[in-house]
Amino acid sequence: MNENSTQFDVLVIGSGAAGLTAALTLATQRKVLVLAKGKLTSGSTAWAQGGIAAVLDAGDTFEDHIRDTMVAGAGLNDREAVEFVIERAPAAIDRLCELGVPFNRESGDLHLTREGGHSHRRIVHVDDATGWAVQAALLKAAEENPNITLLPDRSCIDLITGRHEAKYSGSGRVWGAYALDTATGKVEAYTARATIMAAGGAGRVYQFSTAPRGATGDGIAMAWRAGARVSNMEMMQFHPTCLYNLEVKNFLITEAVRGEGGRLFHPETGHRFMEDYDAERMELAPRDVVARAIDDQIKRFGLDYVHLDISHEPPEFVKEHFPTIHEKLLGLGIDMTTGPIPVVPAQHYTCGGVMIDLHGRTDLPGLYAAGECTESGLHGANRLASNSLLECFVFGEAAARDILAHWDGFEAPPAIREWDESRVTDSDEEVVIKQNWTEIRRMMWNYVGIVRTTKRLERAKNRIDLLASEIEDYYGNFRVTTDLIELRNLHQCADLIVQSGLRRHESRGLHYTLDYPQTDDEVKDTVLVP
Ligand code: FAD
Ligand code: SIN
């Protein structure tokens, strides 16, 4: 047995918006351990730009926000989940204000910006760097809370389940996770009565993504391997406007630029091409529509990028609304107050994930999940802009409340086996990890991107199957490193995405295939069962 095994009441995997919201709620009554891969600010939360959607304006209604969410989600959303989240949004914003998030205000009221797919101004924001302010406020509150222990540089490898119990109990419960301490190189068992998975999305499965380096789908892959169902993994969101730059590959240009008047143009003819795709909503059509339009222009005219231009607005207005982006672009020789920004679509958000109910419960007793690693029913076939942070706050809290409400039913974990390192040696070929990683990401970009075909998905599946034994062999024989953990999870998620894509015989939202271009009302969620 592992003498180093460390036990808390609840283990939270992930220190982003979902994980820290859960931890802060739990810490009113329980001792919580939060683990993060790398720094505590390494998730997507700190990178969020546009803001958080909530009905706060007198002219706006829950029903309108619900309708916009379901229109963007192309009818695949679960209406109960949509209502659940949207009705809790104003209270979530109030709590963030109490934590000190300095949202922009105008004459004392919260300033609301606009993004694609929203019929009203309803996005609260902190300039164009909302995520950083939210992450900082949550982290400060967690650091000050004596019931919360934060451990960065712990790469979770797998959930602890029945097969890791010293004496198998048959309970089927999740008892925590094994994690690599990257400073010592040791793997420790972190056990708890309940575990909340909040490990973020799988964006880095694609060659071009706005997501941070660690978005490798670890949480989805760990839950899947432990026996939880995942759904709608084919619904990968591509953001229409990522900066095109040969040096800086993943800098997002927030949708709020279009919300505040930015227009898209063919870079050579100057044609405002959204007229040809969605003349009514133009640049403010939902993301899947705008991303597909840009992809079509790029492919049809052999372009490297299209232009996003807000230079018709007064320079002071542009600088005031987008100070971070303006400064970043100036450093790259682009002045957005006087000229256009070259942009391309890039992977941005994982709509599918671990299936949860309204209490954040997964299929596995003792395992909850919240945030981007989940499929809660909110986003359907395409996430509405700025609904994601909101989902983290609502489900992070819901999961924590459910654990607190049923605490007496959570047993203490049994004795757990130590991580077995007797068979492994140090890797002699680190380069293989890098090569496999690059191969998966390039293949996913080329074969499983914005426009798909059955043939391309099958090609991707063949490559994934070929890589499977190589990666498992590597994992079975060599000491784990964060790179290896991530490669195994990237591969797992790529497989789930392609399997799901092959099962969906229709086009809907983010899944567009030339072989089934129509939407089929009979087709619902793509649920994969381990
Ligand atoms: P994350 O914030 O990604 O946190 C994941 C956590 O899990 C991290 O702490 C990470 O270290 C940890 N972790 C991962 N793997 C492991 C492991 N193996 N072991 C231990 N820990 C692990 N959404 C909006 O609503 N509004 C926006 O304006 C917005 N802008 C965005 C801009 C960008 C550039 C990006 C990339 C996303 C944006 N999104 C936005 C989406 C939103 O930021 C994310 O969906 C959300 O922050 C996810 O939060 P999370 O808590 O689920 O995960
Ligand atoms: C953006 O600022 O464009 C991102 C908003 C989001 O992903 O919800």
Side-chain angles (χ1 to χ4, degrees):
M1 251 151 26
N2 190 346
E3 296 196 346
N4 295 323
S5 140
T6 322
Q7 200 189 314
F8 288 79
D9 290 335
V10 183
L11 170 66
V12 177
I13 302 175
S15 58
L20 291 183
T21 302
L24 287 166
T25 310
L26 285 161
T28 53
Q29 297 175 40
R30 297 284 145 211
K31 294 266 179 213
V32 189
L33 173 64
V34 179
L35 299 180
K37 186 170 68 171
K39 290 187 189 161
L40 294 166
T41 53
S42 65
S44 293
T45 298
W47 291 31
Q49 291 186 356
I52 307 160
V55 172
L56 296 164
D57 184 51
D60 198 2
T61 65
F62 286 145
E63 194 47 44
D64 284 350
H65 192 179
I66 291 166
R67 194 195 52 242
D68 292 346
T69 301
M70 298 198 59
V71 168
L76 204 63
N77 325 60
D78 171 355
R79 176 150 181 133
E80 206 187 346
V82 177
E83 287 173 5
F84 182 78
V85 174
I86 283 167
E87 289 169 7
R88 283 161 179 74
I93 303 300
D94 282 349
R95 276 195 305 278
L96 291 170
C97 291
E98 280 161 24
L99 287 178
V101 177
F103 290 117
N104 287 41
R105 290 182 181 268
E106 220 171 36
S107 319
D109 293 333
L110 289 165
H111 177 262
L112 303 174
T113 190
R114 187 166 192 174
E115 291 180 343
H118 287 276
S119 55
H120 288 269
R121 285 186 168 267
R122 63 166 75 98
I123 320 292
V124 296
H125 63 107
V126 181
D127 296 333
D128 53 354
T130 309
W132 185 254
V134 167
Q135 177 80 64
L138 290 170
L139 203 49
K140 181 167 181 288
E143 279 166 348
E144 288 169 355
N145 193 312
N147 278 344
I148 299 179
T149 302
L150 297 157
L151 288 185
D153 299 316
R154 302 298 193 285
S155 302
C156 291
I157 305 167
D158 262 320
L159 289 166
I160 295 172
T161 59
R163 68 195 182 88
H164 305 110
E165 291 169 5
K167 209 169 143 209
Y168 181 56
S169 70
S171 72
R173 295 191 77 82
V174 169
W175 298 117
Y178 289 108
L180 170 72
D181 178 338
T182 52
T184 64
K186 290 254 170 289
V187 175
E188 302 217 5
Y190 293 93
T191 55
R193 291 179 188 230
T195 301
I196 301 183
M197 184 61 79
R204 283 296 177 125
V205 82
Y206 284 92
Q207 186 179 5
F208 301 107
S209 169
T210 62
R213 165 76 177 67
T216 50
D218 299 3
I220 298 170
M222 282 189 269
W224 168 260
R225 284 194 294 268
R229 286 174 303 162
V230 301
S231 65
N232 296 344
M233 286 296 289
E234 72 279 32
M235 299 304 178
M236 272 286 172
Q237 184 170 75
F238 292 79
H239 196 291
T241 58
C242 178
L243 175 69
Y244 173 83
N245 186 277
L246 296 180
E247 302 299 318
V248 180
K249 300 255 185 254
N250 63 348
F251 186 67
L252 181 75
I253 309 296
T254 176
E255 191 148 330
V257 170
R258 278 175 287 130
E260 296 297 342
R263 300 167 187 163
L264 290 164
F265 295 103
H266 186 293
E268 287 153 17
T269 63
H271 176 50
R272 194 172 167 194
F273 57 83
M274 280 310 298
E275 275 168 22
D276 309 334
Y277 300 91
D278 195 320
E280 197 179 321
R281 296 175 295 184
M282 297 292 284
E283 285 84 359
L284 289 179
R287 272 184 197 169
D288 57 329
V289 177
V290 183
R292 258 199 310 280
I294 297 176
D295 185 64
D296 187 49
Q297 291 285 303
I298 287 176
K299 289 192 175 132
R300 189 165 345 158
F301 297 103
L303 306 173
D304 287 330
Y305 51 81
V306 298
H307 274 158
L308 171 63
D309 198 351
I310 193 168
S311 63
H312 53 276
E313 295 289 349
E316 283 320 311
F317 172 89
V318 174
K319 281 191 249 177
E320 191 194 325
H321 279 76
F322 308 109
T324 317
I325 297 175
H326 176 251
E327 204 176 306
K328 174 86 177 177
L329 293 181
L330 273 186
L332 297 167
I334 300 166
D335 186 348
M336 69 190 284
T337 64
T338 57
I341 309 164
V343 292
V344 285
Q347 191 287 341
H348 181 63
Y349 184 81
T350 310
C351 289
V354 184
M355 289 175 73
I356 55 166
D357 66 12
L358 293 185
H359 305 287
R361 296 180 194 145
T362 70
D363 292 334
L364 306 178
L367 181 66
Y368 288 71
E372 192 170 338
C373 64
T374 67
E375 203 283 299
S376 66
L378 172 65
H379 308 307
N382 178 30
R383 174 175 69 93
L384 183 66
S386 288
N387 266 358
S388 165
L389 286 170
L390 177 58
E391 182 188 40
C392 293
F393 304 128
V394 172
F395 279 101
E397 185 182 346
R401 289 205 182 285
D402 198 68
I403 293 171
L404 294 178
H406 298 98
W407 186 249
D408 290 345
F410 287 91
E411 295 160 36
I416 297 299
R417 283 192 277 117
E418 260 184 72
W419 184 253
D420 181 10
E421 285 206 302
S422 56
R423 292 169 301 111
V424 297
T425 59
D426 281 328
S427 156
D428 53 355
E429 278 192 303
E430 284 290 329
V431 68
V432 175
I433 295 182
K434 196 160 186 278
Q435 273 168 5
N436 285 351
W437 171 289
T438 307
E439 181 174 347
I440 292 172
R441 298 183 64 213
R442 190 172 296 148
M443 183 259 304
M444 290 297 286
W445 183 258
N446 289 330
Y447 295 161
V448 198
I450 296 175
V451 177
R452 300 164 181 179
T453 66
T454 303
K455 198 165 163 192
R456 284 186 213 152
L457 290 173
E458 281 169 349
R459 282 203 180 126
K461 179 75 180 122
N462 288 340
R463 288 303 305 143
I464 288 167
D465 289 348
L466 279 174
L467 284 170
S469 56
E470 207 170 293
I471 292 170
E472 273 315 302
D473 192 46
Y474 212 81
Y475 176 75
N477 290 317
F478 297 119
R479 197 157 279 125
V480 287
T481 60
T482 299
D483 283 350
L484 179 53
I485 293 166
E486 291 182 338
L487 172 65
R488 182 174 176 237
N489 294 329
L490 267 188
H491 176 267
Q492 182 69 75
C493 287
D495 192 29
L496 295 170
I497 295 164
V498 173
Q499 279 193 54
S500 305
L502 279 167
R503 285 192 196 194
R504 185 171 288 280
H505 292 173
E506 65 156 355
S507 289
R508 185 197 290 268
L510 298 162
H511 180 71
Y512 182 76
T513 164
L514 297 176
D515 293 300
Y516 302 97
Q518 305 303 328
T519 300
D520 178 348
D521 289 337
E522 298 301 309
V523 177
K524 302 289 179 224
D525 292 328
T526 313
V527 178
L528 299 182
V529 183

Short mmCIF file of all heavy atoms in Angstrom, two decimals, residues 37-38 42-44 47 199-205 209 211-219 250 437 482 486 489-490:
data_model
loop_
_atom_site.label_atom_id
_atom_site.label_comp_id
_atom_site.label_asym_id
_atom_site.label_seq_id
_atom_site.Cartn_x
_atom_site.Cartn_y
_atom_site.Cartn_z
N LYS A 37 -2.30 20.53 -13.51
CA LYS A 37 -1.15 20.13 -14.34
C LYS A 37 -0.39 21.42 -14.63
O LYS A 37 -0.96 22.35 -15.19
CB LYS A 37 -1.69 19.49 -15.61
CG LYS A 37 -0.66 18.90 -16.51
CD LYS A 37 -1.32 18.08 -17.62
CE LYS A 37 -2.10 18.90 -18.61
NZ LYS A 37 -2.56 18.13 -19.77
N GLY A 38 0.86 21.49 -14.26
CA GLY A 38 1.59 22.74 -14.45
C GLY A 38 1.12 23.79 -13.46
O GLY A 38 0.69 23.47 -12.34
N SER A 42 -2.87 27.46 -15.60
CA SER A 42 -2.49 26.93 -16.92
C SER A 42 -3.68 26.56 -17.81
O SER A 42 -3.50 26.23 -18.98
CB SER A 42 -1.63 25.69 -16.75
OG SER A 42 -2.42 24.67 -16.14
N GLY A 43 -4.92 26.61 -17.31
CA GLY A 43 -6.07 26.18 -18.11
C GLY A 43 -6.58 27.28 -19.03
O GLY A 43 -6.03 28.39 -19.09
N SER A 44 -7.67 26.97 -19.73
CA SER A 44 -8.25 27.93 -20.68
C SER A 44 -8.86 29.13 -19.98
O SER A 44 -8.97 30.22 -20.57
CB SER A 44 -9.36 27.26 -21.50
OG SER A 44 -8.83 26.29 -22.33
N TRP A 47 -7.28 32.37 -20.19
CA TRP A 47 -7.12 32.90 -21.54
C TRP A 47 -8.40 33.50 -22.10
O TRP A 47 -8.39 34.07 -23.20
CB TRP A 47 -6.66 31.79 -22.49
CG TRP A 47 -5.27 31.31 -22.27
CD1 TRP A 47 -4.59 31.26 -21.08
CD2 TRP A 47 -4.38 30.78 -23.26
NE1 TRP A 47 -3.35 30.74 -21.28
CE2 TRP A 47 -3.19 30.43 -22.60
CE3 TRP A 47 -4.48 30.56 -24.62
CZ2 TRP A 47 -2.10 29.88 -23.27
CZ3 TRP A 47 -3.40 30.02 -25.29
CH2 TRP A 47 -2.22 29.68 -24.62
N ALA A 199 -11.02 19.05 -15.65
CA ALA A 199 -9.70 19.15 -16.29
C ALA A 199 -9.72 19.80 -17.66
O ALA A 199 -8.73 19.74 -18.40
CB ALA A 199 -9.07 17.76 -16.36
N GLY A 200 -10.85 20.44 -18.05
CA GLY A 200 -10.86 21.24 -19.28
C GLY A 200 -11.00 20.41 -20.55
O GLY A 200 -11.27 19.21 -20.52
N GLY A 201 -10.79 21.10 -21.69
CA GLY A 201 -11.10 20.51 -22.99
C GLY A 201 -9.93 19.79 -23.65
O GLY A 201 -8.87 19.60 -23.05
N ALA A 202 -10.20 19.41 -24.91
CA ALA A 202 -9.23 18.59 -25.66
C ALA A 202 -8.76 19.31 -26.93
O ALA A 202 -8.41 18.67 -27.91
CB ALA A 202 -9.89 17.26 -26.02
N GLY A 203 -8.74 20.65 -26.89
CA GLY A 203 -8.46 21.42 -28.09
C GLY A 203 -7.15 21.09 -28.77
O GLY A 203 -7.03 21.13 -30.00
N ARG A 204 -6.16 20.70 -27.97
CA ARG A 204 -4.83 20.49 -28.56
C ARG A 204 -4.73 19.20 -29.36
O ARG A 204 -3.65 18.83 -29.82
CB ARG A 204 -3.78 20.56 -27.45
CG ARG A 204 -3.49 21.99 -27.04
CD ARG A 204 -2.89 22.73 -28.23
NE ARG A 204 -2.64 24.12 -27.93
CZ ARG A 204 -1.46 24.72 -28.07
NH1 ARG A 204 -0.41 24.04 -28.48
NH2 ARG A 204 -1.36 26.00 -27.83
N VAL A 205 -5.85 18.52 -29.51
CA VAL A 205 -5.89 17.36 -30.39
C VAL A 205 -5.77 17.85 -31.85
O VAL A 205 -5.48 17.07 -32.75
CB VAL A 205 -7.18 16.55 -30.13
CG1 VAL A 205 -8.36 17.10 -30.83
CG2 VAL A 205 -6.99 15.09 -30.43
N SER A 209 -5.10 25.53 -32.65
CA SER A 209 -6.11 25.67 -31.60
C SER A 209 -5.82 26.94 -30.82
O SER A 209 -4.66 27.32 -30.65
CB SER A 209 -6.04 24.45 -30.67
OG SER A 209 -6.82 24.67 -29.53
N ALA A 211 -6.54 27.03 -27.74
CA ALA A 211 -6.47 26.55 -26.35
C ALA A 211 -5.01 26.43 -25.87
O ALA A 211 -4.11 26.26 -26.68
CB ALA A 211 -7.17 25.21 -26.24
N PRO A 212 -4.81 26.50 -24.56
CA PRO A 212 -3.44 26.39 -24.05
C PRO A 212 -2.85 24.99 -24.22
O PRO A 212 -3.58 24.02 -24.44
CB PRO A 212 -3.57 26.75 -22.57
CG PRO A 212 -5.01 26.63 -22.24
CD PRO A 212 -5.79 26.77 -23.50
N ARG A 213 -1.56 24.89 -24.07
CA ARG A 213 -0.77 23.68 -24.33
C ARG A 213 -1.32 22.43 -23.61
O ARG A 213 -1.27 21.32 -24.12
CB ARG A 213 0.66 24.01 -23.88
CG ARG A 213 1.64 22.90 -23.68
CD ARG A 213 2.15 22.36 -25.00
NE ARG A 213 3.15 21.33 -24.81
CZ ARG A 213 2.92 20.14 -24.28
NH1 ARG A 213 1.70 19.83 -23.85
NH2 ARG A 213 3.88 19.25 -24.16
N GLY A 214 -1.88 22.64 -22.40
CA GLY A 214 -2.31 21.49 -21.60
C GLY A 214 -3.72 21.01 -21.89
O GLY A 214 -4.21 20.09 -21.22
N ALA A 215 -4.38 21.57 -22.91
CA ALA A 215 -5.77 21.17 -23.20
C ALA A 215 -5.75 19.88 -24.02
O ALA A 215 -6.09 19.85 -25.20
CB ALA A 215 -6.50 22.29 -23.95
N THR A 216 -5.38 18.80 -23.36
CA THR A 216 -5.17 17.53 -24.08
C THR A 216 -6.24 16.49 -23.73
O THR A 216 -6.02 15.29 -23.91
CB THR A 216 -3.75 16.99 -23.81
OG1 THR A 216 -3.52 16.99 -22.39
CG2 THR A 216 -2.69 17.82 -24.47
N GLY A 217 -7.36 16.94 -23.20
CA GLY A 217 -8.49 16.03 -22.96
C GLY A 217 -8.23 15.00 -21.88
O GLY A 217 -8.87 13.94 -21.87
N ASP A 218 -7.34 15.31 -20.95
CA ASP A 218 -7.00 14.32 -19.91
C ASP A 218 -8.22 13.87 -19.12
O ASP A 218 -8.38 12.69 -18.80
CB ASP A 218 -5.97 14.89 -18.93
CG ASP A 218 -4.66 15.27 -19.60
OD1 ASP A 218 -4.56 15.13 -20.83
OD2 ASP A 218 -3.73 15.70 -18.89
N GLY A 219 -9.08 14.82 -18.76
CA GLY A 219 -10.24 14.50 -17.92
C GLY A 219 -11.21 13.59 -18.65
O GLY A 219 -11.76 12.64 -18.06
N ASN A 250 -1.54 30.83 -31.87
CA ASN A 250 -2.86 30.56 -31.26
C ASN A 250 -3.43 31.77 -30.53
O ASN A 250 -4.05 31.62 -29.50
CB ASN A 250 -2.76 29.35 -30.33
CG ASN A 250 -1.82 29.61 -29.18
OD1 ASN A 250 -1.09 30.59 -29.19
ND2 ASN A 250 -1.85 28.77 -28.17
N TRP A 437 2.58 12.78 -31.33
CA TRP A 437 1.78 13.95 -30.96
C TRP A 437 1.52 14.82 -32.20
O TRP A 437 0.39 15.18 -32.52
CB TRP A 437 2.58 14.67 -29.88
CG TRP A 437 2.13 16.02 -29.43
CD1 TRP A 437 2.19 17.18 -30.14
CD2 TRP A 437 1.57 16.36 -28.17
NE1 TRP A 437 1.71 18.21 -29.38
CE2 TRP A 437 1.33 17.74 -28.18
CE3 TRP A 437 1.27 15.62 -27.02
CZ2 TRP A 437 0.79 18.42 -27.09
CZ3 TRP A 437 0.73 16.31 -25.94
CH2 TRP A 437 0.49 17.68 -25.97
N THR A 482 4.78 13.84 -18.17
CA THR A 482 3.57 14.57 -18.56
C THR A 482 3.34 14.46 -20.07
O THR A 482 2.21 14.29 -20.53
CB THR A 482 3.67 16.05 -18.12
OG1 THR A 482 3.79 16.06 -16.69
CG2 THR A 482 2.45 16.85 -18.50
N GLU A 486 -0.06 12.99 -21.70
CA GLU A 486 -0.86 13.79 -22.63
C GLU A 486 -1.03 13.11 -23.98
O GLU A 486 -2.10 13.17 -24.59
CB GLU A 486 -0.21 15.17 -22.81
CG GLU A 486 -0.30 16.01 -21.54
CD GLU A 486 0.29 17.39 -21.69
OE1 GLU A 486 1.13 17.59 -22.60
OE2 GLU A 486 -0.08 18.27 -20.90
N ASN A 489 -3.68 10.54 -23.78
CA ASN A 489 -5.02 11.13 -23.70
C ASN A 489 -5.45 11.79 -25.02
O ASN A 489 -6.61 11.70 -25.42
CB ASN A 489 -5.08 12.14 -22.55
CG ASN A 489 -4.92 11.44 -21.21
OD1 ASN A 489 -5.31 10.28 -21.06
ND2 ASN A 489 -4.30 12.12 -20.25
N LEU A 490 -4.50 12.45 -25.68
CA LEU A 490 -4.80 13.05 -26.99
C LEU A 490 -5.26 11.98 -27.95
O LEU A 490 -6.23 12.15 -28.70
CB LEU A 490 -3.52 13.66 -27.59
CG LEU A 490 -3.18 15.09 -27.38
CD1 LEU A 490 -2.00 15.48 -28.25
CD2 LEU A 490 -4.35 15.99 -27.72
#
